[in-house]
Every structure is written in structure tokens, then in C-alpha cells.
């Protein structure tokens, strides 16, 4: 079996993985593995932009306050302070790496506005910020001799004490990570990637829901692998639903950026009336949890299928110049957004929880770092403020390399690690099992674990997901691994983590709303929801 050894193994080629790679490459060899073509990531689809304090009218204090307020009491203040203070420096680095952000006529940044922000602070490249960032970072990594990217390579499992030839894990001892077993999808070969520091930058898990803004790669692999390895997982119940995705049978939940509302767009019902004033003083620009819950409530009251985002009152040339991709995409479905309101519905968008990591990106497993959407760094609390996600990935990847560059020097040898053992497995061509199970998971999460939850629905979902996991595990043990199978298995584990976390939180807060406990309860629930697989001791 093939083994590849590096100082740093980065799993994922979105903003978190690539920005880390560019700094890590100054301290050792870097392997980046990525599931598909290298640009394919949530990052590449980001529209609105990146929040940071650049306006003289704004301040770190306001950005901090808005972030804490959206997070509904669960943000870790130290992490948020770091996020907002370091934001402008990290964005300057992006510019040095070649990202061109939109400017105003006086050459200052054209700062947009999004839900929950009290000031204009969203730096953007029109409505395609993500692809501008992704392509600049990829070009910069291409130029670096210490970085190699492996496309179509999927991490299957993290290598820990569980994979030593002489397997012995004394009770209470800490776990270590020395890399990952990786599937080379094209050659159907499993490679042992050894590394002194392993970086989880695998992004989110939106694909666990039937309707999502996330691309197909977002199957929660990092969270599922870390959970199976014994890492601490936090706050998985806080799944963010974006209020406005295009409602059209062929649109695959295409995002209509919150920046459209920041530009003056107004949410309206089918009869043309605006409704958000009833729910929040910021009306259409309220934080996302409030807007998504309001839309859900209005649709249920009226039995209607969508609401409308109206930007027809704004100058049409200005709309086309600011949102060229959204304009073109909607036009391809015969919706001219300068003349007609856009039909929109909420869809799963962002995981606020994830692998627990500290402000240096360190997880509870030694040698394993996590940041970006896969992680729970504590900055988002119970609801992420718009455009704080790309920022989080940048800030925490920087903090992580400051630690990891020293950590790798302390690792002088690898233990005796077993090869991947797939004896007794066969190539089953039962694709129908995989596609059927995937749709079943997505549908049950959408129906029972969506914007509005209840004990009855969550318990039903938990019973079903446990059956599905048993079935998948049986199939997995006798089947040669494929990308479809490993993704299905990971989706099932992530679904279970979301359901179990939601069942534990007996209150409503931020993105978690349950009809059985409809109020926020600070007396008992002002704390993170922590899940660990077994009693193996992990972390600080
Ligand atoms: P990603 O960019 O998702 O990258 C994950 C990488 O990991 C991918 O390369 C993937 O292939 C790889 N990967 C996953 N599993 C494996 C595996 N098992 N093996 C190997 N590789 C693997 N946030 C903002 O702040 N501002 C915005 O304007 C904004 N707009 C958004 C619009 C859309 C449509 C979406 C979907 C999200 C948006 N977000 C936005 C959220 C933001 O884009 C993401 O949270 C952020 O890009 C995550 O970056 P990341 O590097 O952590 O993960
Ligand atoms: C958007 O453009 O609405 C997405 C912003 C985000 O998810 O932060």
C-alpha cells in the first residue's frame, strides 16, 4: 500500500485549507487532498462577501456587538474579539494574494450591508466574492513549490491510536492524529497520508438536508470522521437556514444573497405586502434565524409556497452592476429581477457547530487542527452573523499556523501504523442503496429536523437514522469503499449528531426552535451542546 509523508496534511481546498497552506508551506511540505476538482467548495459559491471593519463610521466594538447579538448568548467572547480585531489584517493578506474587491468611485472599498449588521461592512467582489477568493488562493498555491494538491482524493478516516499495529489505548490517555487514510477515487486505491499536523478544512454539511445552498461536496466528512475518532463535537443543533434561495424547480436552491436586502430589497407576501416589520425592528435586514422563521411561519399560515424578494424599485442598471450573476441566473429562468419580485424560500446553508477547536484551531485530538465551517471555534454561537464565515476561516487558519509551525517540530517520529485493511470486502454495485438512503436521510432531516422542531419529530428522526446507520455500517463492512459510500456514511453520522444535539437542548435559541420549549432559558442552557463518541479522554 502507498504511503505519502508530509509535515502538513490539509483536508480540503476551500478558503480555510488554502489560506493555511500558503503559510504552512514556509515551514515544511504541504499535501492538500480534496474530494473533487480543486475549486469545488462552499467557498467557491460565496456571494455576499466578508465582514470586516474598514469604514470610518464603523468600529471593532460595533462588529463585536452585532456578532454577539446574532449569536444569542452562546458566542465565546474571546474568539469573537479575535475574529473582529484580526479581520482587516487577514483581508489585506487576501488582497496581497491577488483578490480584487469592488471599489467605490473614491477608490475606497464598496462596503455592503447584510442582515444583523448595524453598519456597512461587507467587502465583496460584486456577487461572486467566493470564486474571486478561491481562484486567487489557488493561483498562489500553484506558485508555491512546497505545496502539492491531490484532486479526487477523499479522506476516509483519521489515523489515531485506533490504527496502531500494537493497539493499546490506556484509559484516560489523550489521542493523537498522524494523518488520514485517503481514497484515490480515480485509481480506486487507498493511500496512507502521514503528517505531523493534520488540518481539517472540510467545510460544511448542508447536503444532509433535501434543500440546501451547499454544493454536493458538503457532506460533513470532517465532523463525522472526527466524531468516529473520538474528538469533541459541539453545537450541531445550530444549522442555519438561509432565508432566500430561488424558488424554481430547476434552480437547485440557488442563493439570492442577503446583500440584495442590504441593497434595499424588501421581502413581500404573495399579495405584495411587506411582513418583516411584524417580526423585528430591522425588518427585512433582521438576523437570519428571525427572517427564516418568519418566512416559515407566514408560508404555513397562508398555505403559500414562497415569498418574494422585491428589488424592482431600485435603479435597474445599479442592480445589474452590483449583482451580475444573480441577475443572469434568474434571467435564465425567465425572471428579470429588475422588473419582477424574486420567488424565494429558505434552505439549509451553514453549520454553526462542528469539531470543537480552541482559538489556535486545536481540537481535542493532539496534532489535529480544525477551522472554517467544519469547526466550532465559538464565534457564531447559536446563529452566525452574515459574512462572518469566510472571515472566521481566514482568522483561525492564521492562528492555527502560528501554533502548528511549532507543533510539527516536536514530532520526531511516527508510530507503527497499520495499513488500511479491506480484506473480505467486495465491489457491490448496489448504487440504488446509496442513492435511496441519501434521499431518505435528506428528506427526513428536511421534514423533521428543519426550521421548526418538536420532540415528536426529533425522536422519530432519531429512531430512523439509527436504523439507517446500522444498515449502512453492515453494507460498509463488506463493500470496497467508494466516494459515494463514504459520503453516505458521513451524512448519516452528521444527521444523527444534529438530531441528538437538538434533542438535548430543551429550549429555543437562535437557530434551534422547538415547539415543546418555545422560549430561551438562560438559567439552564447558556452553554454549548457537547457530544463525544466514547469515554476515551480527549483534549485539554
Ligand atoms: P469549503 O470551502 O466548503 O471547502 C471544503 C473543502 O473540503 C472542499 O475542497 C471539499 O472538497 C473538501 N472536502 C470535504 N470533505 C473531504 C474529504 N473527505 N476528503 C477530501 N476533501 C474533502 N460565507 C461568508 O462569509 N460570506 C458569504 O458571502 C457567503 N456566501 C455563501 C454562499 C453560498 C452559496 C454558500 C454555500 C456558502 C456561503 N457562505 C458565505 C459560507 C462560506 O462560503 C463557507 O462557510 C466557507 O466557504 C467555508 O470554507 P471552508 O474552507 O471551511 O470549506
Ligand atoms: C449571502 O450572500 O447571503 C451569504 C452570506 C453568508 O452566508 O454569510
Amino acid at each position: 500500500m502507498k504511503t505519502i509523508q508530509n509535515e502538513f496534511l490539509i483536508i480540503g481546498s476551500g478558503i480555510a485549507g488554502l489560506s493555511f497552506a500558503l503559510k504552512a508551506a514556509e515551514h515544511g511540505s504541504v499535501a492538500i487532498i480534496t474530494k473533487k476538482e480543486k475549486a469545488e467548495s462552499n467557498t467557491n459559491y460565496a456571494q455576499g462577501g466578508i465582514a470586516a471593519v474598514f469604514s470610518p463610521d464603523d468600529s471593532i466594538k460595533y462588529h463585536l456587538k452585532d456578532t454577539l447579538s446574532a449569536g444569542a448568548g452562546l458566542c465565546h467572547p474571546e474568539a469573537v474579539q479575535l475574529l473582529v480585531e484580526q479581520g482587516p489584517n487577514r483581508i489585506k493578506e487576501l488582497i496581497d494574494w491577488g483578490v480584487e474587491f469592488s471599489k467605490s468611485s473614491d477608490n475606497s472599498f464598496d462596503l455592503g450591508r447584510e442582515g444583523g449588521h448595524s453598519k456597512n461592512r461587507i467587502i465583496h467582489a460584486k456577487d461572486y466574492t467566493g470564486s474571486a477568493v478561491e481562484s486567487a488562493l489557488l493561483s498562489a498555491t500553484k506558485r508555491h513549490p512546497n505545496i502539492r494538491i491531490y484532486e479526487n482524493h477523499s479522506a476516509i478516516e483519521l489515523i489515531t491510536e485506533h490504527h496502531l499495529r500494537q493497539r493499546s489505548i490506556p484509559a484516560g490517555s489523550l489521542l493523537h492524529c498522524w494523518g488520514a487514510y485517503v481514497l484515490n477515487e480515480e485509481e480506486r486505491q487507498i493511500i496512507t497520508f502521514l503528517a505531523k499536523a493534520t488540518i481539517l478544512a472540510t467545510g460544511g454539511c448542508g447536503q444532509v438536508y433535501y434543500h440546501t445552498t451547499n454544493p454536493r461536496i458538503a457532506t460533513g466528512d470532517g465532523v463525522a470522521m472526527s466524531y468516529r475518532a473520538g474528538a469533541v463535537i459541539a453545537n450541531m443543533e445550530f444549522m442555519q437556514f438561509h432565508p432566500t434561495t430561488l424558488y424554481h424547480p430547476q434552480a437547485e436552491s440557488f442563493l439570492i444573497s442577503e446583500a440584495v436586502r442590504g441593497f434595499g430589497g424588501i421581502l413581500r407576501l404573495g399579495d405584495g405586502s411587506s411582513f418583516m416589520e411584524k417580526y423585528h425592528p430591522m425588518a427585512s435586514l433582521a438576523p437570519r434565524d428571525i427572517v427564516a422563521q418568519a418566512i416559515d411561519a407566514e408560508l404555513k399560515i397562508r398555505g403559500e409556497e414562497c415569498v418574494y424578494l422585491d428589488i424592482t424599485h431600485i435603479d435597474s442598471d445599479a442592480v445589474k452592476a452590483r449583482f451580475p450573476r444573480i441577475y443572469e441566473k434568474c434571467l435564465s429562468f425567465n425572471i428579470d429581477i429588475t422588473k419582477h419580485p424574486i420567488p424565494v424560500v429558505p434552505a439549509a446553508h451553514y453549520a454553526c457547530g462542528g469539531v470543537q477547536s480552541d482559538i489556535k484551531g486545536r481540537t481535542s485530538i493532539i496534532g489535529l487542527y480544525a477551522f472554517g465551517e467544519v469547526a466550532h471555534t465559538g464565534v457564531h454561537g447559536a446563529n452566525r452573523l452574515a459574512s462572518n464565515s469566510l472571515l472566521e476561516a481566514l482568522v483561525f487558519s492564521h492562528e492555527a499556523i502560528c501554533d502548528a509551525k511549532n507543533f510539527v517540530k516536536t514530532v520526531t517520529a511516527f508510530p507503527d501504523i497499520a495499513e488500511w485493511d479491506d480484506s473480505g470486502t467486495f465491489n457491490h454495485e448496489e448504487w440504488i442503496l446509496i442513492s435511496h438512503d441519501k434521499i431518505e436521510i435528506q428528506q427526513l432531516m428536511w421534514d423533521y429536523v428543519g426550521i421548526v422542531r418538536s420532540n415528536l419529530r426529533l425522536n422519530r428522526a432519531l429512531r430512523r437514522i439509527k436504523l439507517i446507520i446500522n444498515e449502512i455500517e453492515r453494507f460498509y463492512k463488506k463493500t470496497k469503499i467508494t466516494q459515494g459510500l463514504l459520503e453516505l456514511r458521513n451524512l448519516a453520522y452528521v444527521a444523527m449528531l444534529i438530531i441528538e444535539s437538538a434533542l438535548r437542548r430543551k429550549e429555543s435559541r437562535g437557530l434551534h426552535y422547538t415547539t415543546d420549549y418555545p422560549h430561551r432559558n438562560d438559567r439552564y442552557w447558556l452553554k454549548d451542546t457537547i457530544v463525544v463518541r466514547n469515554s476515551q479522554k480527549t483534549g485539554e
Side-chain angles (χ1 to χ4, degrees), residues 45-49 114 117 122 127 240 242-244 255-261 288 326 349-350 384-390:
Y45 295 88
Q47 292 184 356
E114 288 179 3
H117 289 275
I122 315 297
D127 60 353
Q240 185 171 71
H242 197 293
T244 58
L255 185 76
I256 307 296
S257 175
E258 204 154 299
V260 173
R261 278 175 279 142
R288 251 174 226 178
I326 293 174
H349 182 60
Y350 182 86
R384 173 176 69 95
L385 186 65
S387 286
N388 264 356
S389 166
L390 296 169

Side-chain angles (χ1 to χ4, degrees), residues 143-306:
R143 294 192 291 270
H144 207 297
N146 270 357
I147 302 176
R148 173 148 182 213
I149 303 191
Y150 299 79
E151 293 183 311
N152 302 308
H153 281 60
S154 297
I156 309 168
E157 293 290 12
L158 299 169
I159 298 173
T160 62
E161 273 77 359
H162 300 100
H163 305 98
L164 300 186
R165 272 185 223 280
Q166 302 291 318
R167 201 174 135 185
S168 82
I169 314 172
S173 65
L174 296 176
L175 289 169
H176 296 74
C177 180
W178 294 287
Y181 295 113
V182 175
L183 170 71
N184 173 345
E185 176 75 5
E186 281 168 348
E187 295 179 15
R188 288 280 180 108
Q189 184 190 26
I190 293 172
I191 305 172
T192 306
F193 272 80
L194 292 181
K196 295 180 178 174
T198 303
I199 316 306
L200 272 182
T202 48
C205 59
Q207 284 289 326
V208 79
Y209 285 93
Y210 197 69
H211 298 289
T212 178
T213 62
N214 290 192
R216 280 163 202 254
I217 51 97
T219 51
D221 298 359
V223 171
M225 287 189 295
S226 304
Y227 169 72
R228 289 194 296 267
V232 175
I233 311 295
N235 284 2
M236 289 300 291
E237 68 272 36
F238 296 115
M239 189 72 202
Q240 185 171 71
F241 289 77
H242 197 293
T244 58
T245 68
L246 182 58
Y247 178 69
H248 186 281
Q250 268 100 51
E252 291 195 352
S253 302
F254 175 75
L255 185 76
I256 307 296
S257 175
E258 204 154 299
V260 173
R261 278 175 279 142
F263 207 64
I266 297 169
L267 283 164
R268 297 189 189 281
L269 297 170
D271 63 8
S273 60
S274 63
F275 60 95
M276 274 310 301
E277 302 75 12
K278 275 194 305 189
Y279 293 90
H280 197 274
M282 292 175 93
S284 290
L285 270 177
R288 251 174 226 178
D289 52 342
I290 315 263
V291 183
Q293 283 162 21
I295 294 176
D296 189 73
E298 291 293 334
L299 294 182
K300 282 181 180 145
I301 294 166
R302 283 155 211 281
E304 290 176 3
E305 295 196 328
C306 63

Side-chain angles (χ1 to χ4, degrees), residues 390-407:
L390 296 169
L391 184 69
E392 179 198 36
L394 286 173
V395 168
F396 285 84
S397 83
H398 177 81
E399 298 304 315
I401 187 58
C402 294
D403 189 84
K405 70 180 184 198
N406 297 322
F407 174 77

Side-chain angles (χ1 to χ4, degrees), residues 260-536:
V260 173
R261 278 175 279 142
F263 207 64
I266 297 169
L267 283 164
R268 297 189 189 281
L269 297 170
D271 63 8
S273 60
S274 63
F275 60 95
M276 274 310 301
E277 302 75 12
K278 275 194 305 189
Y279 293 90
H280 197 274
M282 292 175 93
S284 290
L285 270 177
R288 251 174 226 178
D289 52 342
I290 315 263
V291 183
Q293 283 162 21
I295 294 176
D296 189 73
E298 291 293 334
L299 294 182
K300 282 181 180 145
I301 294 166
R302 283 155 211 281
E304 290 176 3
E305 295 196 328
C306 63
V307 295
Y308 294 87
L309 180 52
D310 182 8
I311 192 138
T312 55
H313 50 287
I314 313 270
D315 175 68
S316 66
D317 289 336
V319 169
K320 287 185 216 168
R322 174 65 181 82
F323 302 108
R325 289 217 179 149
I326 293 174
Y327 174 75
E328 286 301 331
K329 184 76 174 187
C330 290
L331 206 55
S332 74
F333 296 114
N334 291 321
I335 302 164
D336 180 344
I337 66 170
T338 65
K339 296 197 174 80
H340 303 287
I342 314 166
V344 289
V345 283
H349 182 60
Y350 182 86
C352 291
V355 182
Q356 176 87 293
S357 64
D358 66 10
I359 56 167
K360 294 285 173 200
R362 292 174 297 207
T363 69
S364 55
I365 298 184
I366 295 169
L368 180 68
Y369 292 78
F371 43 85
E373 194 168 339
V374 68
H376 173 262
T377 57
V379 297
H380 306 311
N383 177 36
R384 173 176 69 95
L385 186 65
S387 286
N388 264 356
S389 166
L390 296 169
L391 184 69
E392 179 198 36
L394 286 173
V395 168
F396 285 84
S397 83
H398 177 81
E399 298 304 315
I401 187 58
C402 294
D403 189 84
K405 70 180 184 198
N406 297 322
F407 174 77
V408 290
K409 291 186 198 141
T410 67
V411 182
T412 49
F414 291 99
D416 191 10
I417 290 161
E419 290 185 347
W420 182 258
D421 180 10
D422 62 357
S423 54
T425 59
F426 301 94
N427 284 316
H428 291 273
E429 301 302 335
E430 295 280 6
W431 289 109
I432 188 70
L433 294 180
I434 293 179
S435 57
H436 179 88
D437 278 359
K438 183 173 173 186
I439 293 171
E440 196 177 341
I441 294 169
Q442 292 173 324
Q443 196 80 62
L444 90 83
M445 291 300 286
W446 186 255
D447 291 343
Y448 301 148
V449 199
I451 297 173
V452 176
R453 299 160 180 181
S454 71
N455 282 341
L456 188 77
R457 291 179 192 192
L458 291 173
N459 279 313
R460 178 176 286 201
L462 188 65
R463 282 195 300 277
R464 296 197 176 182
I465 200 70
K466 283 187 171 168
L467 284 175
I468 295 174
I469 289 182
N470 280 339
E471 247 173 55
I472 293 172
E473 283 296 354
R474 277 205 301 277
F475 185 64
Y476 181 82
K477 285 198 176 79
K478 56 182 190 193
T479 308
K480 290 239 179 291
I481 194 142
T482 60
Q483 194 181 69
L485 180 55
L486 76 87
E487 288 183 340
L488 173 69
R489 184 170 178 241
N490 290 333
L491 279 176
Y493 275 95
V494 166
M496 184 187 72
L497 287 167
I498 297 174
I499 300 166
E500 284 194 340
S501 305
L503 273 167
R504 283 195 201 180
R505 184 170 289 281
K506 301 198 183 323
E507 64 157 356
S508 291
R509 178 188 298 273
L511 299 160
H512 174 67
Y513 179 73
T514 163
T515 51
D516 290 296
Y517 313 99
H519 303 294
R520 177 169 154 169
N521 182 343
D522 280 354
R523 185 154 174 219
Y524 296 111
W525 295 106
L526 206 52
K527 58 186 178 193
D528 294 329
T529 307
I530 300 293
V531 182
V532 188
R533 185 177 196 185
N534 53 34
S535 56
Q536 176 65 46

